[in-house]
Structures are given as C-alpha cells and as structure tokens.
Amino acid sequence: MLAPRPARSFALLAVTSLALLVGPFVQPASASVSARYENSAIAHTNSERAQHDRVKLKKSTCLDRFAERQARAMAARGGIYHQSMKPILDKCHLGQVGENVAFGYSSGKTVVNAWMHSTGHKKNLLNSRHRMVGLGAYQDAGGNWYVSQVLGRKL
C-alpha cells in the first residue's frame, strides 16, 4: 500500500478541504481520463521493467477487471487495502499473482515512480516471472486517485 509522501500531505489536505467545500459539484473522472491514467501507468511500468532487463507485461482483461473493481472499492471505502489473491489466481488461471495499490498520485507516471521507491512495490513491479498486468485507476468525487495494479503469470 502506498500513500503520498508526508511532504505532500499538506497539499492533499488542502485539496481535500476544497473538495469538501465544492461537494456535489465535483464529478469523478471520466472513463477517458481514467484510461489515460491507466495506460500511462502501464507504459511507465514497462519502461521500468525494460531498464531492469525484464520482459514487457501484456495487458490482461481478466486482471484488469480485478484491478478496476479494487480501485473502485478502495475509493468507496475511502482507503487503500489489498484484495484477496485467491479469486484472481482461480478465475484468471494463474500460477502466481501480486498487487500494488496506491492513493493520491495524480498520474500514472507519479504512481509508478512512488512504487519504484518502495522496496516491496518495486519487487512486485520488477518480478521477472510476471508476464501480465491489469490496472485500475479511479478518481473519486473529491479528486483523489485510487490505484490497483495486478500482476501475474499463467499456470
């Protein structure tokens, strides 16, 4: 799980406070904005993998469904947490699976950068056995992004 660095917390607090004032007039991001975020995160993930001599991950519809659902669930709960991996293993017919989650990063590039500066997230992202990726990014009405990256490999 990854939230922005403490130095950014004041800015996030200010944005959150403003969002509370704006309230119902702020709408969640459109599907195209979410898709741009997701595509950017996948591209930056593959760029990092290439720099570390790892194969490029292919998008997986099955993993994407789990990542999308997780991003929305975290936004609904207002916090980040990991989902159970067993249903993903079973339904996507995987031999292994991993997940990175985050909150509050404004772009695909910044969330991948944050994951690369966190030992456990970096290990997941660069796992040489992973071959597939799904990514869900959901922006709540307050403008906060919730992100789930699900990585895996078939049996």
Side-chain angles (χ1 to χ4, degrees), residues 106-123:
S106 62
S107 69
K109 181 179 182 176
T110 59
V111 76
V112 171
N113 186 51
W115 285 332
M116 289 300 293
H117 286 89
S118 165
T119 305
H121 295 95
K122 181 178 181 177
K123 185 177 177 182

Side-chain angles (χ1 to χ4, degrees), residues 10 21 25 44 56-57 63 67 90 114 120 123 132 149 153:
F10 178 74
L21 293 174
F25 302 107
H44 284 91
K56 179 180 175 181
L57 299 173
L63 294 182
D90 294 343
K123 185 177 177 182
M132 305 171 350
Q149 178 186 57
R153 183 178 185 137

Side-chain angles (χ1 to χ4, degrees), residues 57-76:
L57 299 173
K58 294 181 181 177
K59 292 182 186 179
S60 162
T61 302
C62 188
L63 294 182
D64 194 62
R65 279 193 299 266
F66 281 97
E68 292 283 348
R69 186 168 59 204
Q70 180 64 8
R72 288 181 178 275
M74 291 187 303

Side-chain angles (χ1 to χ4, degrees), residues 61-98:
T61 302
C62 188
L63 294 182
D64 194 62
R65 279 193 299 266
F66 281 97
E68 292 283 348
R69 186 168 59 204
Q70 180 64 8
R72 288 181 178 275
M74 291 187 303
R77 186 183 283 188
I80 57 176
Y81 60 96
H82 289 283
Q83 62 188 306
S84 173
M85 298 292 107
K86 178 81 168 107
I88 301 171
L89 283 166
D90 294 343
K91 292 192 182 195
C92 298
H93 309 288
L94 302 178
Q96 71 177 61
V97 66

